[in-house]
Amino acid sequence: MLVLALHRLFQSVLVLFFVGLIAFSLFQFVGDPIENMLGQERTEADVIYLRDQLGLDDPIAFQYFRFLGNALQGEFGISYKFSQPVDELIRERLPATLELAAVSGVFALLFGVLFGVYTAIKRHSIIAKSIMTLSLIGVSLPTFLIGILLIWVFAVELGILPSFGRSGLVDLGAWRTSFLTRSGWASLVLPAITLGLFQLTLIMRLVRSQMLEVLRADYIRFAVARGVRMRSVYFRHALKNTLVPVMTVTGIQLGSIIAFAIITESVFQWPGVGLLFITAINFVDIPVMAAYLMLISVFFVAINFTVDLLYVVADPRLRDSLRR
């Protein structure tokens, strides 16, 4: 187990290094931040001086290694637009994104597994067929359109939920949370459903297909023939054996929730790091863009690393192969 963890950790570090290098190289094609930082009265001398101060004339590899060196010390530079340390901007906005992602992930995972199991067990019922039909909406419609539809129905027509922003914040010192107030939860509902609906449908369909495959296995038929209660067959034997392939997709989708929060945060003007990234792109704020992409990469790699370890816990065959 320890050897596997160290091996996966080494691979994760390599992935982070190369993802960061590729992303940092692409920043050169986004635009020139000097155009936004200096006004129309700028002179050529001003441009040369500022580019030299920011190190933009240095080779890409040199800029990237300098960024990595500072990042390892917890420093991500100064934002070109906000003139604040990037780590402070991230700390201010990260709680909003993590709370939104957490609620969306629980929503997608809980209802995805429940609906997947139900539609597999009761696959010929009208309710199960209706759920499968409605799930096409979550797969087919783009996220921004789902968000706009939810705003129109629940905020404009019914007027029961806020249409944008994050409210009801409680300051806990290093963390400002929406979880402790009713208005905070109300502001979370629409963006969380919007962000989690696509992942919910994918998890549901995967659980359903895996469950149906497992239910056709010989050991399930043998358990039924022995008189094992159907509840135990479904949830102790069948569901347990669907977890390994489900964990793979679920891990990727939970990482996608954080990465794709950009669209949801833009639609609902949710003050998270995704909205900060959109602002940084418009202003060509390279320190903010670099810090954001590295942060997302760390989340993805950490989730995949955790999923790899959970494989060993969930599948006894993998544990046996590691002991040999």
Side-chain angles (χ1 to χ4, degrees):
M1 182 70 173
L2 179 60
V3 175
L4 174 66
L6 293 176
H7 181 66
R8 290 290 187 268
L9 183 61
F10 176 72
Q11 290 179 332
S12 300
V13 172
L14 285 181
V15 169
L16 284 174
F17 176 80
F18 285 107
V19 167
L21 180 60
I22 294 172
F24 211 85
S25 302
L26 293 177
F27 292 156
Q28 308 305 309
F29 304 99
V30 176
D32 189 354
I34 303 300
E35 297 292 330
N36 295 317
M37 298 176 69
L38 296 178
Q40 295 182 352
E41 303 297 328
R42 67 181 183 273
T43 63
E44 188 64 26
D46 294 333
V47 173
I48 294 175
Y49 174 78
L50 188 57
R51 291 187 66 87
D52 180 68
Q53 289 295 309
L54 297 177
L56 297 177
D57 290 328
D58 296 332
I60 299 299
F62 184 80
Q63 294 183 43
Y64 178 58
F65 282 109
R66 182 173 58 205
F67 169 78
L68 280 183
N70 292 332
L72 291 176
Q73 303 176 41
E75 299 178 0
F76 297 94
I78 305 296
S79 168
Y80 297 163
K81 178 176 176 58
F82 299 99
S83 300
Q84 290 180 248
V86 174
D87 57 308
E88 291 183 4
L89 291 172
I90 297 287
R91 282 199 300 268
E92 289 175 3
R93 294 170 176 260
L94 188 59
T97 297
L98 291 181
E99 289 185 358
L100 176 60
V103 175
S104 301
V106 171
F107 165 72
L109 189 58
L110 178 62
F111 287 98
V113 173
L114 288 177
F115 289 158
V117 171
Y118 180 83
T119 53
I121 296 174
K122 304 289 186 179
R123 56 186 178 277
H124 298 302
S125 67
I126 296 177
I127 297 178
K129 292 179 180 179
S130 300
I131 292 174
M132 292 302 297
T133 302
L134 291 175
S135 69
L136 294 174
I137 297 176
V139 176
S140 304
L141 292 181
T143 300
F144 73 90
L145 184 56
I146 293 174
I148 293 173
L149 289 174
L150 291 177
I151 290 173
W152 175 63
V153 174
F154 292 100
V156 178
E157 295 296 330
L158 299 178
I160 58 177
L161 292 172
S163 60
F164 68 93
R166 185 181 183 221
S167 58
L169 297 178
V170 176
D171 196 344
L172 301 178
W175 193 280
R176 301 182 69 197
T177 181
S178 302
F179 287 163
L180 301 179
T181 61
R182 183 176 179 180
S183 60
W185 277 103
S187 65
L188 269 168
V189 171
L190 293 184
I193 293 175
T194 302
L195 183 58
L197 190 59
F198 180 75
Q199 282 74 23
L200 184 154
T201 54
L202 289 182
I203 293 172
M204 182 195 75
R205 287 176 170 271
L206 178 63
V207 170
R208 180 181 184 273
S209 64
Q210 291 296 322
M211 192 82 168
L212 289 174
E213 183 176 347
V214 170
L215 289 175
R216 289 191 290 266
D218 291 337
Y219 69 90
I220 295 294
R221 295 174 181 172
F222 181 70
V224 174
R226 287 182 56 195
V228 178
R229 290 187 305 172
M230 294 307 299
R231 180 184 295 273
S232 180
V233 170
Y234 290 144
F235 296 100
R236 184 178 177 182
H237 299 285
L239 181 60
K240 182 179 179 180
N241 286 281
T242 66
L243 290 180
V244 173
V246 169
M247 279 193 299
T248 304
V249 175
T250 300
I252 296 174
Q253 293 308 312
L254 292 180
S256 300
I257 284 178
I258 299 176
F260 296 153
I262 294 176
I263 301 173
T264 303
E265 290 183 7
S266 300
V267 172
F268 291 93
Q269 288 300 293
W270 189 261
V273 291
L275 189 60
L276 177 66
F277 181 65
I278 293 296
T279 304
I281 291 177
N282 293 331
F283 198 81
V284 197
D285 196 343
I286 293 178
V288 173
M289 291 191 291
Y292 174 82
L293 290 177
M294 287 301 294
L295 179 67
I296 296 302
S297 300
V298 168
F299 276 122
F300 263 107
V301 169
I303 290 172
N304 288 330
F305 178 75
T306 304
V307 169
D308 286 340
L309 297 183
L310 288 177
Y311 282 161
V312 182
V313 176
D315 194 338
R317 293 170 298 180
L318 293 177
R319 291 199 297 271
D320 294 338
S321 64
L322 289 175
R323 294 193 187 102
R324 294 171 186 157

